Amino acid sequence: MLKTSFVLLILICGVTVSFAQDCPIADDLETGIRLTRHDPSFVSLFRRDAGGLSERRESQGRVIHTREAHALMTVERWEEGQNNHMRLSYDVSPAELDNLRVGRSLKRDLRLRFADGREVPGDVTWKVIRNTTVHIGPCSYPAQQVHERTDFEGVDPMFMVRFYARDPGLVLRSIVTDGNWQAVREVRFDQIERVVP
């Protein structure tokens, strides 16, 4: 009986290890990491390149591209078939964001440039609220819960809660909130997988 229990324990541990090995890590960004939500359909494909991260997002018939200097810093965004190209420039380095710890915040200037040449100045504040874990399918990732407030001149403030995992180096869950940090809408993924070349 004890031997049978031990064998079952080894098999269960073996299955757990194999699931963990199938979970993408930062190195997999070289070929790509795909995040999928089933209902409503939402698929994001991330890849690392010389400028940071690129994302191709498909949702409800729309295809949106973003470029990120850091998972918390979108620097470019456009939608296929639309004239809505935007660029953001920040007065912050990716290393500064990586140095944030629980209870610490960082406020920096940013500038939004539209396709028609208009520019809007503003600022963004990131604050790490707590360390947590994000679960996607069989995969679990240590993450920071980051509150992000963005203010542009002439526009109401925007509030987001992002769950940033240093490995694989992505925001794995995000919530648009009101000014009291209460959820308005959320993106939570059902599946994460490496892209096989």
Side-chain angles (χ1 to χ4, degrees):
M1 180 68 174
L2 183 60
K3 183 177 180 181
T4 304
S5 298
F6 184 73
V7 169
L8 285 174
L9 178 64
I10 295 295
L11 288 173
I12 289 169
C13 289
V15 169
T16 303
V17 169
S18 84
F19 273 143
Q21 290 172 345
D22 287 340
C23 296
I25 60 173
D27 289 345
D28 293 315
L29 285 168
E30 299 301 327
T31 56
I33 294 176
R34 183 181 299 112
L35 289 159
T36 303
R37 181 181 69 188
H38 299 304
D39 188 25
S41 177
F42 187 110
V43 178
S44 283
L45 175 61
F46 290 91
R47 285 196 170 92
R48 183 184 297 123
D49 57 31
L53 291 173
S54 63
E55 177 192 9
R56 182 182 191 276
R57 179 186 316 161
E58 292 184 51
S59 177
Q60 300 173 350
R62 299 170 63 198
V63 178
I64 297 170
H65 298 270
T66 61
R67 296 192 43 73
E68 301 169 355
H70 182 282
L72 297 170
M73 292 171 54
T74 298
V75 294
E76 194 173 7
R77 181 188 184 281
W78 71 95
E79 183 176 349
E80 286 184 8
Q82 302 294 321
N83 184 25
N84 60 4
H85 191 270
M86 294 181 287
R87 287 184 187 270
L88 291 125
S89 55
Y90 299 79
D91 184 25
V92 65
S93 72
E96 287 181 273
L97 287 172
D98 279 336
N99 286 330
L100 279 176
R101 299 293 180 258
V102 173
R104 293 179 57 194
S105 62
L106 181 66
K107 182 176 181 178
R108 291 291 185 265
D109 292 336
L110 78 158
R111 183 168 293 274
L112 174 62
R113 293 179 182 90
F114 291 97
D116 63 7
R118 286 181 300 135
E119 292 191 6
V120 182
D123 59 64
V124 58
T125 304
W126 297 275
K127 182 173 184 180
V128 179
I129 301 303
R130 66 185 177 117
N131 293 320
T132 186
T133 302
V134 175
H135 304 280
I136 304 176
C139 300
S140 297
Y141 295 94
Q144 292 179 320
Q145 179 180 328
V146 180
H147 284 195
E148 178 183 294
R149 175 183 171 143
T150 306
D151 291 274
F152 287 110
E153 282 185 7
V155 181
D156 290 338
M158 294 172 279
F159 301 88
M160 294 275 299
V161 177
R162 298 179 188 265
F163 293 83
Y164 167 61
R166 291 176 187 271
D167 193 353
L170 300 173
V171 171
L172 298 178
R173 180 179 166 208
S174 59
I175 306 169
V176 175
T177 75
D178 61 21
N180 296 313
W181 302 104
Q182 299 301 305
V184 175
R185 64 182 178 274
E186 177 177 9
V187 175
R188 185 187 298 242
F189 293 100
D190 300 306
Q191 184 177 359
I192 183 169
E193 59 190 332
R194 66 178 54 88
V195 174
V196 178

mmCIF file of all heavy atoms in Angstrom, residues 13-25 28 138-141 192-194:
data_model
loop_
_atom_site.group_PDB
_atom_site.id
_atom_site.type_symbol
_atom_site.label_atom_id
_atom_site.label_comp_id
_atom_site.label_asym_id
_atom_site.label_seq_id
_atom_site.Cartn_x
_atom_site.Cartn_y
_atom_site.Cartn_z
ATOM 1 N N CYS A 13 3.699 14.206 -9.024
ATOM 2 C CA CYS A 13 4.767 15.209 -9.070
ATOM 3 C C CYS A 13 5.328 15.334 -10.478
ATOM 4 O O CYS A 13 5.610 16.441 -10.948
ATOM 5 C CB CYS A 13 5.886 14.853 -8.093
ATOM 6 S SG CYS A 13 5.390 15.084 -6.380
ATOM 7 N N GLY A 14 5.473 14.228 -11.160
ATOM 8 C CA GLY A 14 5.977 14.247 -12.534
ATOM 9 C C GLY A 14 5.059 15.015 -13.448
ATOM 10 O O GLY A 14 5.500 15.803 -14.277
ATOM 11 N N VAL A 15 3.734 14.826 -13.267
ATOM 12 C CA VAL A 15 2.767 15.560 -14.082
ATOM 13 C C VAL A 15 2.844 17.046 -13.770
ATOM 14 O O VAL A 15 2.847 17.891 -14.659
ATOM 15 C CB VAL A 15 1.336 15.013 -13.835
ATOM 16 C CG1 VAL A 15 0.296 15.924 -14.449
ATOM 17 C CG2 VAL A 15 1.208 13.615 -14.426
ATOM 18 N N THR A 16 2.950 17.386 -12.479
ATOM 19 C CA THR A 16 3.043 18.787 -12.091
ATOM 20 C C THR A 16 4.281 19.433 -12.688
ATOM 21 O O THR A 16 4.232 20.541 -13.211
ATOM 22 C CB THR A 16 3.084 18.910 -10.549
ATOM 23 O OG1 THR A 16 1.925 18.271 -10.026
ATOM 24 C CG2 THR A 16 3.125 20.357 -10.111
ATOM 25 N N VAL A 17 5.404 18.740 -12.635
ATOM 26 C CA VAL A 17 6.640 19.282 -13.197
ATOM 27 C C VAL A 17 6.499 19.476 -14.699
ATOM 28 O O VAL A 17 6.908 20.488 -15.237
ATOM 29 C CB VAL A 17 7.827 18.352 -12.862
ATOM 30 C CG1 VAL A 17 9.048 18.745 -13.660
ATOM 31 C CG2 VAL A 17 8.128 18.406 -11.370
ATOM 32 N N SER A 18 5.867 18.527 -15.370
ATOM 33 C CA SER A 18 5.751 18.679 -16.823
ATOM 34 C C SER A 18 4.846 19.854 -17.169
ATOM 35 O O SER A 18 5.098 20.573 -18.120
ATOM 36 C CB SER A 18 5.240 17.392 -17.461
ATOM 37 O OG SER A 18 3.851 17.313 -17.423
ATOM 38 N N PHE A 19 3.773 20.095 -16.364
ATOM 39 C CA PHE A 19 2.949 21.279 -16.599
ATOM 40 C C PHE A 19 3.781 22.535 -16.415
ATOM 41 O O PHE A 19 3.718 23.456 -17.204
ATOM 42 C CB PHE A 19 1.757 21.316 -15.634
ATOM 43 C CG PHE A 19 0.559 20.560 -16.129
ATOM 44 C CD1 PHE A 19 -0.229 19.846 -15.246
ATOM 45 C CD2 PHE A 19 0.214 20.565 -17.467
ATOM 46 C CE1 PHE A 19 -1.336 19.151 -15.691
ATOM 47 C CE2 PHE A 19 -0.899 19.874 -17.922
ATOM 48 C CZ PHE A 19 -1.667 19.165 -17.025
ATOM 49 N N ALA A 20 4.578 22.570 -15.334
ATOM 50 C CA ALA A 20 5.395 23.748 -15.067
ATOM 51 C C ALA A 20 6.378 23.989 -16.208
ATOM 52 O O ALA A 20 6.636 25.121 -16.581
ATOM 53 C CB ALA A 20 6.134 23.582 -13.744
ATOM 54 N N GLN A 21 6.945 22.897 -16.776
ATOM 55 C CA GLN A 21 7.885 23.056 -17.872
ATOM 56 C C GLN A 21 7.198 23.573 -19.134
ATOM 57 O O GLN A 21 7.833 24.189 -19.970
ATOM 58 C CB GLN A 21 8.575 21.725 -18.155
ATOM 59 C CG GLN A 21 9.533 21.313 -17.056
ATOM 60 C CD GLN A 21 10.063 19.902 -17.267
ATOM 61 O OE1 GLN A 21 9.527 19.141 -18.060
ATOM 62 N NE2 GLN A 21 11.111 19.557 -16.543
ATOM 63 N N ASP A 22 5.888 23.356 -19.281
ATOM 64 C CA ASP A 22 5.162 23.836 -20.444
ATOM 65 C C ASP A 22 4.749 25.298 -20.324
ATOM 66 O O ASP A 22 4.227 25.870 -21.267
ATOM 67 C CB ASP A 22 3.916 22.976 -20.679
ATOM 68 C CG ASP A 22 4.275 21.604 -21.221
ATOM 69 O OD1 ASP A 22 5.397 21.459 -21.753
ATOM 70 O OD2 ASP A 22 3.455 20.685 -21.101
ATOM 71 N N CYS A 23 4.946 25.894 -19.154
ATOM 72 C CA CYS A 23 4.565 27.283 -18.955
ATOM 73 C C CYS A 23 5.653 28.201 -19.527
ATOM 74 O O CYS A 23 6.826 28.052 -19.199
ATOM 75 C CB CYS A 23 4.365 27.562 -17.467
ATOM 76 S SG CYS A 23 2.987 26.615 -16.767
ATOM 77 N N PRO A 24 5.264 29.130 -20.390
ATOM 78 C CA PRO A 24 6.251 30.015 -21.020
ATOM 79 C C PRO A 24 7.017 30.856 -19.995
ATOM 80 O O PRO A 24 6.485 31.221 -18.949
ATOM 81 C CB PRO A 24 5.398 30.912 -21.915
ATOM 82 C CG PRO A 24 4.143 30.149 -22.148
ATOM 83 C CD PRO A 24 3.913 29.361 -20.895
ATOM 84 N N ILE A 25 8.270 31.154 -20.342
ATOM 85 C CA ILE A 25 9.126 32.029 -19.549
ATOM 86 C C ILE A 25 9.644 33.137 -20.459
ATOM 87 O O ILE A 25 9.395 33.127 -21.666
ATOM 88 C CB ILE A 25 10.287 31.239 -18.903
ATOM 89 C CG1 ILE A 25 11.148 30.567 -19.992
ATOM 90 C CG2 ILE A 25 9.758 30.198 -17.907
ATOM 91 C CD1 ILE A 25 12.406 29.897 -19.465
ATOM 92 N N ASP A 28 11.089 32.624 -23.920
ATOM 93 C CA ASP A 28 10.171 32.241 -24.996
ATOM 94 C C ASP A 28 9.670 33.438 -25.801
ATOM 95 O O ASP A 28 9.072 33.265 -26.865
ATOM 96 C CB ASP A 28 8.983 31.457 -24.430
ATOM 97 C CG ASP A 28 9.404 30.115 -23.865
ATOM 98 O OD1 ASP A 28 10.188 29.411 -24.534
ATOM 99 O OD2 ASP A 28 8.974 29.769 -22.750
ATOM 100 N N PRO A 138 -2.941 25.913 -16.254
ATOM 101 C CA PRO A 138 -2.108 25.201 -15.270
ATOM 102 C C PRO A 138 -0.892 26.011 -14.816
ATOM 103 O O PRO A 138 -0.129 25.549 -13.977
ATOM 104 C CB PRO A 138 -1.656 23.961 -16.037
ATOM 105 C CG PRO A 138 -1.597 24.415 -17.455
ATOM 106 C CD PRO A 138 -2.750 25.383 -17.625
ATOM 107 N N CYS A 139 -0.713 27.209 -15.343
ATOM 108 C CA CYS A 139 0.488 28.003 -15.064
ATOM 109 C C CYS A 139 0.219 29.050 -13.985
ATOM 110 O O CYS A 139 -0.842 29.662 -13.945
ATOM 111 C CB CYS A 139 0.966 28.705 -16.327
ATOM 112 S SG CYS A 139 1.391 27.564 -17.661
ATOM 113 N N SER A 140 1.213 29.251 -13.132
ATOM 114 C CA SER A 140 1.141 30.269 -12.085
ATOM 115 C C SER A 140 2.403 31.113 -12.143
ATOM 116 O O SER A 140 3.509 30.591 -12.292
ATOM 117 C CB SER A 140 1.033 29.618 -10.705
ATOM 118 O OG SER A 140 -0.166 28.881 -10.611
ATOM 119 N N TYR A 141 2.221 32.443 -12.010
ATOM 120 C CA TYR A 141 3.342 33.366 -12.095
ATOM 121 C C TYR A 141 3.324 34.351 -10.930
ATOM 122 O O TYR A 141 2.295 34.994 -10.693
ATOM 123 C CB TYR A 141 3.282 34.174 -13.401
ATOM 124 C CG TYR A 141 3.451 33.345 -14.643
ATOM 125 C CD1 TYR A 141 2.345 32.855 -15.334
ATOM 126 C CD2 TYR A 141 4.721 33.049 -15.129
ATOM 127 C CE1 TYR A 141 2.500 32.087 -16.478
ATOM 128 C CE2 TYR A 141 4.882 32.292 -16.280
ATOM 129 C CZ TYR A 141 3.766 31.813 -16.947
ATOM 130 O OH TYR A 141 3.925 31.048 -18.087
ATOM 131 N N ILE A 192 -2.099 30.397 -21.701
ATOM 132 C CA ILE A 192 -0.818 30.992 -22.075
ATOM 133 C C ILE A 192 0.032 29.891 -22.673
ATOM 134 O O ILE A 192 0.066 28.763 -22.153
ATOM 135 C CB ILE A 192 -0.109 31.664 -20.866
ATOM 136 C CG1 ILE A 192 1.193 32.345 -21.306
ATOM 137 C CG2 ILE A 192 0.128 30.672 -19.731
ATOM 138 C CD1 ILE A 192 1.808 33.241 -20.228
ATOM 139 N N GLU A 193 0.689 30.184 -23.801
ATOM 140 C CA GLU A 193 1.493 29.165 -24.470
ATOM 141 C C GLU A 193 2.628 29.810 -25.248
ATOM 142 O O GLU A 193 2.529 30.944 -25.689
ATOM 143 C CB GLU A 193 0.623 28.328 -25.404
ATOM 144 C CG GLU A 193 -0.077 29.134 -26.473
ATOM 145 C CD GLU A 193 -1.116 28.355 -27.251
ATOM 146 O OE1 GLU A 193 -0.969 27.127 -27.369
ATOM 147 O OE2 GLU A 193 -2.061 28.982 -27.752
ATOM 148 N N ARG A 194 3.715 29.040 -25.368
ATOM 149 C CA ARG A 194 4.820 29.512 -26.192
ATOM 150 C C ARG A 194 4.476 29.239 -27.657
ATOM 151 O O ARG A 194 3.763 28.273 -27.971
ATOM 152 C CB ARG A 194 6.124 28.829 -25.801
ATOM 153 C CG ARG A 194 6.184 27.355 -26.069
ATOM 154 C CD ARG A 194 7.535 26.758 -25.704
ATOM 155 N NE ARG A 194 7.953 27.037 -24.342
ATOM 156 C CZ ARG A 194 7.622 26.278 -23.305
ATOM 157 N NH1 ARG A 194 6.842 25.231 -23.442
ATOM 158 N NH2 ARG A 194 8.065 26.583 -22.090
#
